[in-house]
Structures are given as C-alpha cells and as structure tokens.
Amino acid sequence: MKKILLATRNKDKFRIISKLLKTDNFKDYDYLCLDDINDEIIDKKEEGDVINRSYQKALNVYSNLKNNSYDFIIGIDDGIMMKGKMIENIKNYIKSIIDNEYLEENEKIFIVRAYTFFDKNGKYKSIVTEIPFKYIPLKEKFEIKENSYPLSRVMAPLNGNKAVFALNEDETNQYYLNYSKSAFDEVENYFND
C-alpha cells in the first residue's frame, strides 16, 4: 500500500487533512503522522509565510527520516485571513477569537492552508487553498488543548450555522473539497508528468 506521512503532531489537523485527501485525489494511500513513526523528528521553528513554513516542515521531515518509505511527505501550515489581513500565526489570536473578543458574528474569515508535497526523490510542489467560513460565537466554554484545532468550534460554512467540529465527515470533506479540488488536481498532475 502506498503511504503518505503528514508532517504534523496535531491530531485534529491530521484527521481533517487525511480525510480530505482520501476523499478524492489521494484515496489509495495509508496516512500517518509524526506520532505514528519510530524516527525521532525534532520540530523546528519555521519562519516566513504559510508556504515557506509548510515547505520547511516537509523538508525537515524529509531530511531527517532514517529510511524514507513514504510516497509523499506533506508539510501543512495554516494562516487566517480576517479583517482584510493575512495572519500567519493564528496561535496569537485563538484565545481572543474563542472568547468572542475579536470577530463579529457572521464575519467572514478564510483559513489559508499551504501544503508542500515531497516525493521520495525530493521533488516537491507547494499549493495554497483558501477556505471561507463565517464566525459563530462559542456557546459554551471548553478547554483549549495542545495539538488541537479549537477554531473548528467557532467557524461555520458560509451556507450553514453548524460549527465545523459538529459537521459529519461527508459535510466537512465536501465543503473543504469545493475550495481545494483544483489545487489538489494541480499537485496530482505535477507528479504524474
């Protein structure tokens, strides 16, 4: 079986991304994250925009694997576009967003996600997707945990009122795929040329 290693320890991000990729272009793969492998990969602090950071994540894993048995290693990095500006470091805003101190109800935001795909030979391709959402205030308190995706509790698809975390897998995948399919097709075509 072909394998893809996602260069993340974030279980929520791993779940979302692996299910999304499996839905269409990369369905015939087994997916693993950094916590699933035996190699000790030390996380490094990335710099720059989301594309550069996704590239650095993928390259760090690609360069430090003892035995690369993966068809692809994918680095992923998220930013958020809100109030007309791109914010690369979402972590600085999460608490104020979750606490309903930064955005207005139904305000449009975009999750800007960069992916860098490395194949076994070191050939790589980076893409960026922009997924639009609307902000919905949090109804109840919850604990923000390390390596989780708390914004999924305050973001809803533009055409709905349920938070992303409350959507079923098919609804989530279809919504993300509507805004990602052409970028994934670009990657598939690039590696098949």
Side-chain angles (χ1 to χ4, degrees):
M1 184 72 160
K2 298 186 286 187
K3 294 188 290 188
I4 289 178
L5 176 61
L6 298 182
T8 186
R9 296 182 197 287
N10 183 319
K11 294 293 186 189
D12 287 342
K13 186 179 281 190
F14 173 76
R15 182 182 48 78
I16 291 167
I17 302 299
S18 61
K19 287 180 180 176
L20 177 62
L21 291 170
K22 239 181 208 192
T23 301
D24 195 55
N25 296 73
F26 300 92
K27 60 180 135 210
D28 297 325
Y29 291 85
D30 279 338
Y31 288 81
L32 297 106
C33 71
L34 293 178
D35 288 340
D36 297 326
I37 65 172
N38 291 329
D39 290 44
E40 183 124 358
I41 306 293
I42 296 172
D43 295 331
K44 294 182 179 177
K45 178 117 174 89
E46 306 88 23
E47 296 180 356
D49 62 17
V50 291
I51 294 173
N52 286 322
R53 291 196 322 245
S54 74
Y55 170 81
Q56 291 167 32
K57 288 176 181 180
L59 179 62
N60 179 46
V61 173
Y62 179 81
S63 301
N64 289 294
L65 282 174
K66 291 180 180 70
N67 181 18
N68 185 358
S69 62
Y70 305 99
D71 295 278
F72 291 104
I73 295 166
I74 306 174
I76 307 131
D77 198 78
D78 292 345
I80 191 167
M81 190 175 300
M82 54 188 179
K83 300 198 176 288
K85 68 179 188 177
M86 178 64 190
I87 298 165
E88 266 85 18
N89 195 347
I90 297 174
K91 290 177 185 172
N92 295 339
Y93 289 82
I94 286 179
K95 183 161 175 21
S96 62
I97 291 170
I98 296 294
D99 290 344
N100 197 26
E101 298 169 352
Y102 192 77
L103 297 167
E104 300 294 322
E105 187 168 3
N106 294 319
E107 189 169 343
K108 197 172 187 179
I109 58 177
F110 294 85
I111 295 300
V112 180
R113 182 167 286 149
Y115 301 81
T116 298
F117 291 72
F118 265 80
D119 73 4
K120 286 182 180 183
N121 302 315
K123 182 178 178 182
Y124 70 91
K125 172 76 174 163
S126 296
I127 57 168
V128 175
T129 62
E130 292 183 7
I131 317 284
F133 294 96
K134 63 183 177 183
Y135 174 73
I136 54 172
L138 193 62
K139 302 283 189 261
E140 71 278 341
K141 294 287 182 191
F142 79 102
E143 182 184 344
I144 298 173
K145 296 181 179 172
E146 179 106 17
N147 291 324
S148 69
Y149 198 65
L151 292 181
S152 68
R153 294 180 175 268
V154 296
M155 298 182 324
L158 296 181
N159 58 352
N161 290 311
K162 282 184 4 185
V164 170
F165 90 96
L167 298 174
N168 70 42
E169 185 179 314
D170 289 339
E171 292 171 318
T172 305
N173 284 342
Q174 191 53 56
Y175 189 75
Y176 278 72
L177 200 56
N178 287 342
Y179 299 96
S180 306
K181 174 79 171 116
S182 62
F184 293 150
D185 288 345
E186 187 182 323
V187 170
E188 191 173 39
N189 293 335
Y190 177 79
F191 286 104
N192 287 333
D193 281 347

